Amino acid sequence: METHLVYSSVHLCTLRSFSRLPLTSSPLRPHFARAGRGVRLRRRPIMGMAAISLESTLVHDLGVSALASGVALGLLRFFEELAKRGVFEQKLNRKLVHISVGLVFLLFWPFFSPGRCAPFFAAFAPGINIIRMLLLGSGLWKNDAMVKSISRFGDYRELLKGPLYYACTITLATSLLWRTSPIAIALICNLCAGDGVADIVGRRFGNRKLPYNPSKSYAGTISMVLAGFIASIGYMHYFHLFGLMQENWNTILGFFLTSLAAAIVESLPISSDLDDNLTVPLTSFAVGNLVF
């Protein structure tokens, strides 16, 4: 019994001495100590790389946004100069602005990063135009050349309607729908290409008027369907090249139905009473949610 007690005491003291040793010096757990140190050492580089990657992504998106804003501003300045020189008739000049600004802006979408903040950086460019329309339309900022290039009759107060709706539509489509959505493509293409081409063709070849709306023509309505549809197909293929959208017959059919519905609504008298820059995107959004 005495021998057993002595052995137990020695064994207990030995275990206590091992428990007091630091983890790195314990002969019982050398593998776990080295593994623990390795894990801690590997975490720091990963966190650092993530921070660098996030910073570079934000810088990249900011640069693309600045480039898109600069191109949009350059287009507006170009058409301002054309309006000053009287190169085009005022209504034609306005529709050329209407067609080009939104469609050119779409070309920049694939160059933004896949990050969560990318659509908001992209929306910065049309968002600037919202502020510009509010300042010009309220009379706080005077720019007769710009007003002449984007208004129907040269009245600065017009900018608080159609041009403002136009800028808001593209801003919301960019920030909320973004580049993987066929609804965003259909909405912007019907607004820019469809509505813009319809006005140009309708004024030149619109002799035969619609029976339910004498201010609209068969030529204008048909050209709106075709222009919006063809532009949508073109951008579907363009985004497909970057792996952002699938090309299939269901999507093509959806684009046609959306363009057709937008053209029909645009031909109704209510579009003249409200504004086709409001009714066309709303119709495209509603029908797009049904067919895509």
Side-chain angles (χ1 to χ4, degrees):
M1 176 67 70
E2 183 177 357
T3 304
H4 178 70
L5 290 174
V6 171
Y7 173 79
S8 299
S9 300
V10 172
H11 181 67
L12 181 60
C13 291
T14 304
L15 289 177
R16 286 179 178 175
S17 63
F18 274 124
S19 66
R20 293 192 186 98
L21 289 174
L23 181 62
T24 56
S25 61
S26 173
L28 299 178
R29 293 177 292 182
H31 173 73
F32 298 105
R34 287 193 294 270
R37 287 198 303 272
V39 170
R40 285 194 295 270
L41 288 174
R42 285 195 294 269
R43 283 176 184 171
R44 292 176 184 173
I46 292 174
M47 293 175 63
M49 290 173 62
I52 294 173
S53 176
L54 177 60
E55 182 180 356
S56 62
T57 298
L58 294 177
V59 171
H60 171 82
D61 287 338
L62 185 60
V64 178
S65 179
L67 180 60
S69 301
V71 171
L73 181 60
L75 276 174
L76 289 175
R77 292 286 176 85
F78 173 72
F79 285 109
E80 281 180 36
E81 191 62 30
L82 294 181
K84 286 180 182 178
R85 298 174 182 271
V87 176
F88 298 118
E89 187 262 338
Q90 181 176 341
K91 292 180 180 179
L92 176 59
N93 195 89
R94 180 177 68 88
K95 281 303 175 180
L96 292 176
V97 174
H98 186 97
I99 294 170
S100 61
V101 171
L103 295 182
V104 169
F105 174 62
L106 275 182
L107 295 175
F108 288 92
W109 280 17
F111 298 102
F112 286 89
S113 75
R116 294 181 180 179
C117 295
F120 302 104
F121 278 107
F124 178 75
I128 291 177
N129 280 331
I130 294 178
I131 299 173
R132 186 181 288 115
M133 294 306 106
L134 290 173
L135 293 176
L136 288 169
S138 61
L140 296 177
W141 179 24
K142 302 293 184 181
N143 190 329
D144 293 336
M146 181 178 289
V147 171
K148 186 177 180 181
S149 67
I150 58 179
S151 63
R152 282 188 173 92
F153 306 107
D155 186 351
Y156 68 89
R157 290 170 293 187
E158 295 179 49
L159 274 60
L160 294 178
K161 295 182 180 180
L164 179 60
Y165 300 152
Y166 179 95
C168 289
T169 295
I170 296 180
T171 302
L172 292 175
T174 304
S175 57
L176 300 181
L177 299 176
W178 199 214
R179 59 192 180 185
T180 57
S181 170
I183 301 175
I185 292 178
L187 190 153
I188 294 178
C189 288
N190 288 331
L191 173 64
C192 299
D195 184 48
V197 171
D199 186 81
I200 295 173
V201 173
R203 291 181 186 278
R204 184 175 294 270
F205 304 104
N207 295 324
R208 295 187 60 186
K209 304 297 182 181
L210 297 175
Y212 54 87
N213 189 357
S215 64
K216 302 293 182 178
S217 65
Y218 285 102
T221 301
I222 294 173
S223 63
M224 179 172 178
V225 177
L226 294 177
F229 175 61
I230 293 172
S232 298
I233 296 300
Y235 275 97
M236 177 190 70
H237 179 69
Y238 176 67
F239 283 7
H240 176 73
L241 296 177
F242 293 88
L244 299 172
M245 186 166 294
Q246 294 295 323
E247 289 183 312
N248 54 64
W249 288 108
N250 289 333
T251 304
I252 293 174
L253 177 61
F255 282 137
F256 176 76
L257 294 175
T258 306
S259 296
L260 178 63
I264 292 174
V265 171
E266 193 272 343
S267 70
L268 298 174
I270 189 174
S271 289
S272 300
D273 296 334
L274 295 175
D275 193 289
D276 50 15
N277 286 341
L278 186 62
T279 58
V280 168
L282 287 177
T283 303
S284 299
F285 179 78
V287 176
N289 276 287
L290 296 176
V291 299
F292 292 118

